[in-house]
Amino acid sequence: MTRAPENRDAFSVLDRPNSYIGKTVPRPNLDRLMQGRGQYVSDIELPRMAHVVFLRSPHAHARITGIDGAAAKRMPGVIAVVTGQEIAAVITPWVGVLSHLKGLKSAPQSAIAVDRVCWQGEAVAAIIATSRAAAEDAAEHVAVAYEELDAVTDMQTALDPTTSVIHPALGDNLAFERNHDAGTVDAAFAASDEVVEAEFIFGRHTGVTLEPRSVVADWNAAEARLTIYQGTQAPHMVQNIAALHLGLQESQVRVVCKDVGGSFGIKVHIYADEMATYALSKLLRRPVKFVADRVESFNTDIHARDHRCKGKIGVKRDGTITAFEIDDLTGIGPYSMYPRTSAIEANQVVNLVGGPYATKNYRARARVVFQNKNVMCQYRAVGHPIACSVTESLVDLAAMKIGMDPVEIRRRNLIADDAYPCASPSGLRFEQLSHHAALAKLIKMMDYDALRAEQATLRARNIHRGIGIASFIEVTNPSAAFYGVGGAKISSQDGVALRLDAQGAVVCQTSITEQGQGSESLTAQIVGSVLGVSMDRVRVILGDTDNTPYGGGTWASRGAGIGGEAALQATKVLRRNILDVAAAILQSTPGELDIINNSVVNVSDGAPRIELSELARIVYFRPDTLPPGIQAELMATRHFVPREYPFAFTNGVQASWLEVDTDTGFVKLLKHWVVEDCGTIINPQLVDEQIRGGVVQGLGAALFEKCVYDERGQLTNANMADYLVPMSGEMPDIDVGHVVSPTLESELGAKGAGEAGTAGAAAAVTNAVNDALRPFRTIVTEIPLTPQIILTALGRI
Amino acid sequence: MKASAFAYARATSVVNALELLAAYGDKAKVLSGGQSLMPAMNLRLISPEFIVDIGELAELRGIVVKGDVLTVRALTRHVDVLGSPEIATHAPLLRDATSHVAHPAIRNRGTLGGSLAHADPAAELPACMVALGATVIVCGPQGERRIPAQEFFTGIYETALSPQELLVAVELPVAQKDSAHFFHEFARRQGDYAIVGLAAQAIIQGDQFADLRLGFFAVGDRPLLAKAAENLVNVAVTSEVLASASAALSEELDPQEDQQATPAMRRHLAKVLLSRCVATLLSRPDLREGARA
């Protein structure tokens, strides 16, 4: 269903001659990046800059009984060896909790471990030297004495009374618990014709950004000011946190974030080693660079998922789903991450399960426990893959039980496209979703009936292919409901400031950031379209707290929807201001004038009246020629935050077509389809590639990626040979289609698209594998779906 | 992730390389294509004091056919093997196997000699050498030694090569009339080390094997030339015959456990490979399901 915008006039601002909206245009930053002129933090060299290497704990849980850095300090090039105790003089510890997540608890975490390490990989000392190599050499000579403690590794036993408590002051290993009960769940199950239960297991995995986390901190003692160059998604959040814990005013901290080589949520958190680097710069009064190497990335970049979720669904013989129930358990490492906390994913799972469906009966419990493993926190599509996999697997299992086609059961239960606005049983408010239109489009794109026929034919020849469908909802454009209400100083609003320069070009400063998803491009597209100038006249500046408006940054699929709307509104003001001056110069009225192709023109006949360059010349250099009382304002700023809905939900559906080799357990992905609805599409190519990239990350979770810990809490595959990221050779073609339901909260109408691909890919694959395995009367409910798991399910080994 | 400091010399000749190795012995490592050595050094898994770089030794490059012998010199890069008409004609098994070695960037630098000297039990090329009955030629202070491939590989990353010796070439018998080959490996992703793999070289006369050499890899601490092949030679292969060969293979295997597979899974996959190999080489699709028994 393509919904016509209700407010036609408002949309005309986007639907103008030479508009870039809805068009695939090349990203303005491509030439710069392709010519090697990117400005990544690891490229930065400052005078007197030192390099820090962190000596990291080899134990999952141990008491530090002594650190001897004397030999290391004598090594060539070594500037300092700093312990947790020493660095505590300049930086305070933190506790990762939010007040709206009731009951969430965590323990104080330090920049460098003080007397105890709680996971393998936690920093115990910093070695600062003139080069990374010299610091690594010296690190081998720092002697740390440990007394090993019991490690809590299995989340299933973390709450047992016999299990030791990681932080005794907290009383137990339970970080957070949420219970939710809506409708009449017990009665609904009792009235069901069939009730199906299963337990789903999700492997712990991580983001694997191409560029590792990196930071250069430069304390300028003369100015009493700290400049932090960091690959982050949220510069103002970093500014706030750094100032808070270093005892500075925010005005004393500048955060600069230029090019970032991938984030995926990994770089939206505050890490202990980054905090230590800020502190070391202050302590040593010189620039200090920290660039995580790949092993460190695996051991310290946040991990995600790692859930065990029991699920239950009730269904009637006519296909009506009567109720969902889940009991989710997740282990988050020894600390709740700062400042966004590690309870968000489980909370999100509770929010999202059953979300696409009409039933009002839903019960959920989620428990979040501490363990001696690396910290876990928000990674792309937080909670979505868990919720979607549990929900969609349950729906397929219910369909299988009553002998109904997986598409048909969804048709009978997805919330009707004309039922909006409405709310989910977990209380989420939906403005306008399009599940049925999306499903209909998907079925057409994949030619569902033909695939089913092909599947049947091949099955007779002992070739086992499967089709998996997964509907999903996606949280985007978060308002203050995400973090602000819980007390975190993470802005949910964003701002854009525009200035017409003296030659009629536009300088645009925005508070959203660019990590490769095209923030710069979409901002320039909006500004160019709404103002009436060509994109090459729009220069976008982002990622600098000294030089952009205050705002949240780019995460949770908020850049286009929130930052884009701020750009639109700021451009409207600038346009009005320009036309006011133009009217004065041309002895016309603003209503009779427009801006098209870098010139002010007549609305009536389109005739050019004055070029913007000429207008700017007059305003800046001959204001004396303007009529009395006319003061041009060729700079405009606007901010935006969604107020009506806490989140702009989007929706979509994915399908997977794959083949299972039942002799070997190997899965070959043949094709993948996605139909999604992100509202107004600013740049189709950027949206499609967001979706494809998201799908690939979801496929990684489905088939390959897992942080493998042993029972002593050792991460055993912290390298790119043993931790399997999805690679192009195994990826199928991914066809992407769209349904467009703009949000009416903004004039732009854009919702996010960054989580959609990841949200449903694993669910579609799992359902497809189970569909393929149907003749063998077995199912798999664990990802990654390794050959070992499939062969075991088939009883072959 | 920076290597510890090390001394470095670029050898100017094989003689010079041998002198350097004689001087530094087991403190030295030979740098060929560097595709395994450099990551190991950067991870500080090994910290050799001395690197002998043989990369410029033109005398160690090249592929030559003389009579019934195909000689591939040690510095021949994987990409050169893939593009060589001599290898396509005389050792097509080696070409097929090499296309499974890692990724193009690695194949552009990695060398045949480096892979053999490294002796990763999950690597493709050592198994090909065993299946093809290759002779490994090494040079040392006492001159040249010719070592049959089966005796060359002695364990995980272990070979018959002494620290003073340099692997200079391999000699392969050229493919005979009626010869056929099969190569397949199970890896999670294209280019990964195999979970189980098989490099097989056969002579087929009529509808029977006149000879069959099965080089399994990633099933033990070194490539395995499976004796189970004997069950399949000079006999009409039925599913019963295949089943007995499969059982015999199972007896021979001593697979290790790692993150990809348990020993049971490796044993199972090796039997699947055996069935698929026999079915393919004899063009007998009915035997493909043999492993199900």
Side-chain angles (χ1 to χ4, degrees):
Chain A
M1 182 194 67
T2 304
R3 206 157 53 104
E6 286 164 29
N7 188 344
R8 267 270 160 224
D9 291 341
F11 272 83
S12 66
V13 74
L14 300 174
D15 187 20
R16 288 161 45 80
N18 304 314
S19 171
Y20 296 104
I21 307 295
K23 295 206 174 95
T24 290
V25 291
R27 298 150 63 157
N29 54 9
L30 275 188
D31 283 348
R32 187 170 57 79
L33 295 175
M34 296 308 288
Q35 291 183 29
R37 300 305 300 264
Q39 296 170 279
Y40 297 92
V41 173
S42 47
D43 298 328
I44 291 176
E45 295 290 338
L46 297 177
R48 292 183 69 247
M49 187 175 81
H51 298 258
V52 59
V53 162
F54 293 97
L55 182 65
R56 297 183 180 278
S57 167
H59 303 295
H61 198 193
R63 205 180 315 284
I64 301 168
T65 56
I67 300 179
D68 182 357
K73 281 180 186 166
R74 290 193 297 270
M75 299 278 292
V78 173
I79 294 161
V81 175
V82 178
T83 65
Q85 207 110 49
E86 289 160 348
I87 209 169
V90 281
I91 192 161
T92 56
W94 54 89
V95 181
V97 295
L98 285 168
S99 62
H100 68 308
L101 297 168
K102 287 189 184 57
L104 171 61
K105 63 194 186 207
S106 188
Q109 186 182 358
S110 302
I112 297 175
V114 177
D115 49 16
R116 190 169 61 119
V117 286
C118 288
W119 86 89
Q120 178 226 353
E122 186 173 5
V124 291
I127 297 89
I128 302 94
T130 49
S131 73
R132 168 100 195 180
E136 284 191 22
D137 284 345
E140 292 184 347
H141 293 86
V142 177
V144 183
Y146 295 99
E147 183 187 312
E148 266 198 83
L149 301 168
D150 284 345
V152 180
T153 55
D154 183 355
M155 62 183 173
Q156 293 182 98
T157 55
L159 299 177
D160 290 356
T162 51
T163 301
S164 62
V165 175
I166 295 175
H167 305 295
L170 299 180
D172 57 26
N173 289 324
L174 183 67
F176 178 68
E177 175 165 352
R178 180 179 166 194
N179 287 280
H180 185 82
D181 200 345
T184 52
V185 174
D186 291 327
F189 280 129
S192 301
D193 292 319
E194 299 287 352
V195 174
V196 188
E197 291 181 65
E199 181 169 12
F200 304 93
I201 300 170
F202 300 88
R204 197 179 237 261
H205 61 101
T206 184
V208 197
T209 56
L210 196 56
E211 182 199 21
R213 291 188 294 108
S214 35
V215 53
V216 172
D218 182 12
W219 171 252
N220 182 330
E223 279 188 315
R225 207 153 184 260
L226 178 68
T227 302
I228 296 171
Y229 303 88
Q230 183 168 338
T232 174
Q233 300 175 238
H236 282 101
M237 180 192 86
V238 172
Q239 178 190 44
N240 167 261
I241 303 280
L244 182 65
H245 292 280
L246 290 167
L248 302 172
Q249 296 299 307
E250 289 183 23
S251 60
Q252 290 177 279
V253 179
R254 176 184 178 192
V255 178
V256 180
C257 169
K258 293 302 174 187
D259 295 305
V260 182
S263 292
F264 319 120
I266 299 299
K267 297 175 185 169
V268 79
H269 314 291
I270 299 287
Y271 291 84
D273 45 26
E274 294 165 0
M275 292 283 255
T277 307
Y278 315 152
L280 286 168
S281 177
K282 194 151 180 273
L283 198 67
L284 301 172
R285 296 161 71 99
R286 63 193 297 165
V288 178
K289 177 188 269 191
F290 167 63
V291 179
D293 69 21
R294 192 54 72 183
V295 176
E296 287 182 297
S297 297
F298 278 114
N299 278 294
T300 62
D301 284 8
I302 57 111
H303 292 175
R305 323 303 188 217
D306 204 7
H307 287 246
R308 298 183 78 97
C309 188
K310 291 181 184 134
K312 190 170 168 185
I313 186 171
V315 66
K316 296 209 184 234
R317 210 152 307 287
D318 68 1
T320 308
I321 295 169
T322 56
F324 286 100
E325 181 172 2
I326 62 155
D327 186 0
D328 182 46
L329 177 66
T330 182
I332 55 161
Y335 298 102
S336 170
M337 269 303 268
Y338 190 58
R340 293 171 191 247
T341 85
S342 304
I344 297 282
E345 178 148 282
N347 196 52
Q348 201 79 292
V349 172
V350 173
N351 282 340
L352 297 175
V353 164
Y357 297 99
T359 180
K360 293 290 170 204
N361 304 312
Y362 174 46
R363 185 157 56 213
R365 175 170 77 153
R367 286 172 302 159
V368 177
V369 300
F370 293 115
Q371 40 176 197
N372 295 111
K373 293 181 183 176
N374 184 23
V375 287
M376 285 229 313
C377 202
Q378 284 81 284
Y379 160 61
R380 191 175 198 171
V382 187
H384 292 66
I386 315 295
C388 182
S389 288
V390 169
T391 304
E392 294 302 285
S393 289
L394 287 172
V395 169
D396 265 25
L397 292 176
M400 213 181 280
K401 193 86 176 178
I402 59 168
M404 185 174 278
D405 182 88
V407 171
E408 186 55 30
I409 196 170
R410 287 176 173 79
R411 279 197 190 114
R412 293 186 187 202
N413 289 282
L414 288 166
I415 300 172
D417 289 355
D418 60 3
Y420 300 93
C422 64
S424 79
S426 61
L428 306 173
R429 290 165 57 220
F430 302 134
E431 181 192 6
Q432 176 65 52
L433 301 179
S434 57
H435 287 299
H436 290 269
L439 182 63
K441 186 161 189 172
L442 179 91
I443 296 307
K444 203 168 160 211
M445 277 168 64
M446 66 191 289
D447 200 349
Y448 182 77
D449 293 338
L451 278 188
R452 281 285 176 218
E454 188 181 340
Q455 178 186 39
T457 311
L458 290 172
R459 219 168 240 174
R461 290 167 39 201
N462 209 18
I463 293 170
H464 297 282
R465 293 191 175 177
I467 300 169
I469 310 275
S471 288
F472 62 89
I473 53 174
E474 176 195 13
V475 180
T476 77
N477 292 5
S479 72
F482 234 168
Y483 298 112
V485 299
K489 289 187 174 154
I490 302 168
S491 185
S492 55
Q493 58 90 62
D494 273 287
V496 168
L498 292 175
R499 178 174 90 224
L500 195 73
D501 78 6
Q503 288 191 316
V506 181
V507 180
C508 169
Q509 296 153 302
T510 177
S511 60
I512 64 169
T513 52
E514 169 80 86
Q515 302 114 39
Q517 59 276 81
S519 301
E520 206 177 316
S521 180
L522 70 90
T523 303
Q525 282 181 261
I526 292 167
V527 172
S529 301
V530 175
L531 191 59
V533 301
S534 48
M535 266 177 78
D536 59 12
R537 289 218 185 181
V538 182
R539 207 167 92 75
V540 178
I541 294 168
L542 22 65
D544 183 345
T545 56
D546 268 8
N547 287 304
T548 66
Y550 199 93
T554 300
W555 40 271
S557 293
R558 62 192 303 288
I562 297 177
E565 177 68 6
L568 185 153
Q569 295 302 335
T571 313
K572 280 173 68 182
V573 177
L574 180 63
R575 184 167 170 273
R576 200 161 61 226
N577 292 358
I578 290 171
L579 291 180
D580 283 347
V581 184
I585 294 171
L586 300 170
Q587 298 180 337
S588 177
T589 62
E592 291 175 294
L593 299 171
D594 195 358
I595 306 170
I596 288 171
N597 276 343
N598 311 312
S599 286
V600 176
V601 301
N602 286 332
V603 172
S604 56
D605 59 3
R609 297 293 304 277
I610 184 171
E611 292 208 355
L612 287 181
S613 55
E614 175 61 7
L615 180 140
R617 186 192 66 81
I618 294 169
V619 166
Y620 290 125
F621 307 116
R622 296 303 307 276
D624 55 308
T625 65
L626 293 174
I630 295 290
Q631 174 58 55
E633 290 294 348
L634 299 189
M635 186 156 184
T637 304
R638 280 295 179 271
H639 292 79
F640 177 71
V641 66
R643 297 289 297 276
E644 195 178 334
Y645 285 89
F647 311 101
F649 271 93
T650 80
N651 68 280
V653 59
Q654 300 195 19
S656 170
W657 171 237
L658 52 74
E659 185 173 316
V660 179
D661 182 333
T662 54
D663 286 336
T664 65
F666 276 70
V667 173
K668 183 171 173 53
L669 302 171
L670 300 171
K671 184 99 186 186
H672 202 95
W673 297 267
V674 182
V675 177
E676 66 82 52
D677 182 349
C678 64
T680 303
I681 293 171
I682 298 161
N683 185 326
Q685 189 177 39
L686 287 181
V687 172
D688 287 359
E689 297 312 324
Q690 260 309 303
I691 300 296
R692 289 197 180 94
V695 165
V696 168
Q697 280 184 309
L699 295 176
L703 296 178
F704 300 110
E705 294 183 64
K706 187 178 183 183
C707 299
V708 181
Y709 275 90
D710 69 13
E711 66 285 353
R712 295 179 59 226
Q714 298 285 319
L715 180 57
T716 59
N717 63 338
N719 63 72
M720 295 298 282
D722 295 322
Y723 181 95
L724 308 181
V725 296
M727 293 178 72
S728 56
E730 285 67 41
M731 292 299 104
D733 282 347
I734 302 164
D735 280 2
V736 182
H738 306 277
V739 176
V740 178
S741 310
T743 173
L744 301 183
E745 270 229 73
S746 68
E747 222 174 311
L748 183 61
K751 302 185 256 191
E755 332 290 329
T758 310
V765 167
T766 307
N767 282 351
V769 167
N770 283 329
D771 186 48
L773 295 182
R774 237 171 211 258
F776 301 89
R777 299 179 184 284
T778 184
I779 60 159
V780 289
T781 54
E782 176 174 357
I783 61 170
L785 275 162
T786 62
Q788 177 94 40
I789 286 173
I790 292 173
L791 286 176
T792 304
L794 285 165
R796 297 244 193 268
I797 52 174
Chain B
M1 211 181 274
K2 310 285 182 197
S4 310
F6 55 87
Y8 169 93
R10 170 162 273 187
T12 53
S13 65
V14 169
V15 171
N16 176 228
L18 292 175
E19 285 166 4
L20 292 165
L21 290 176
Y24 291 92
D26 56 9
K27 289 176 181 154
K29 272 277 178 193
V30 175
L31 173 62
S32 176
Q35 297 305 292
S36 297
L37 181 63
M38 297 314 297
M41 286 172 64
N42 285 339
L43 286 162
R44 298 197 177 204
L45 295 173
I46 54 167
S47 301
E49 287 178 24
F50 196 83
I51 291 292
V52 179
D53 181 354
I54 59 168
E56 288 287 277
L57 301 184
E59 58 194 296
L60 289 184
R61 288 185 198 285
I63 299 162
V64 182
V65 187
K66 206 168 165 186
D68 286 345
V69 177
L70 170 69
T71 302
V72 186
R73 298 206 180 99
L75 270 186
T76 304
R77 301 190 191 282
H78 304 314
V79 67
D80 300 328
V81 169
L82 286 173
S84 159
E86 290 87 356
I87 288 183
T89 307
H90 300 297
L93 172 66
L94 186 57
R95 179 204 54 200
D96 282 11
T98 302
S99 69
H100 289 265
V101 174
H103 305 282
I106 291 171
R107 295 199 291 266
N108 285 342
R109 297 197 72 103
T111 65
L112 175 69
S115 174
L116 300 182
H118 186 53
D120 190 308
E124 294 83 0
L125 304 182
C128 289
M129 295 303 125
V130 166
L132 291 168
T135 303
V136 180
I137 302 173
V138 306
C139 280
Q142 273 80 48
E144 187 181 285
R145 284 205 294 151
R146 301 169 59 82
I147 309 167
Q150 259 191 279
E151 294 166 25
F152 182 76
F153 303 102
T154 56
I156 299 175
Y157 305 129
E158 285 177 8
T159 67
L161 204 58
S162 82
Q164 281 82 28
E165 287 176 318
L166 190 64
L167 193 163
V168 294
V170 291
E171 286 180 1
L172 307 167
V174 300
Q176 299 174 39
K177 184 168 167 286
D178 298 329
S179 71
H181 70 277
F182 173 92
F183 185 92
H184 195 73
E185 66 179 35
F186 296 122
R188 293 285 296 282
R189 302 172 305 180
Q190 170 70 36
D192 283 351
Y193 279 115
I195 297 175
V196 176
L198 171 57
Q201 185 73 21
I203 295 173
I204 298 169
Q205 282 161 358
D207 52 7
Q208 294 185 6
F209 290 114
D211 186 29
L212 178 62
R213 294 174 66 89
L214 300 171
F216 281 93
F217 55 102
V219 291
D221 68 352
R222 68 195 85 175
L224 173 84
L225 186 67
K227 293 195 183 66
E230 291 164 10
N231 295 301
L232 298 161
V233 175
N234 294 326
V235 63
V237 178
T238 60
S239 55
E240 289 73 26
V241 169
L242 182 55
S244 69
S246 195
L249 175 66
S250 196
E251 289 293 310
E252 281 182 78
L253 297 176
D254 182 19
Q256 320 232 339
E257 167 136 31
D258 66 12
Q259 290 178 351
Q260 304 300 341
T262 57
M265 177 166 155
R266 285 209 153 81
R267 218 175 272 278
H268 169 80
L269 290 179
K271 292 197 271 183
V272 171
L273 272 181
L274 176 65
S275 300
R276 290 185 179 182
C277 171
V278 172
T280 304
L281 288 177
L282 295 179
S283 304
R284 290 272 303 280
D286 58 302
L287 294 174
R288 196 179 146 88
E289 313 297 330
R292 292 244 173 100

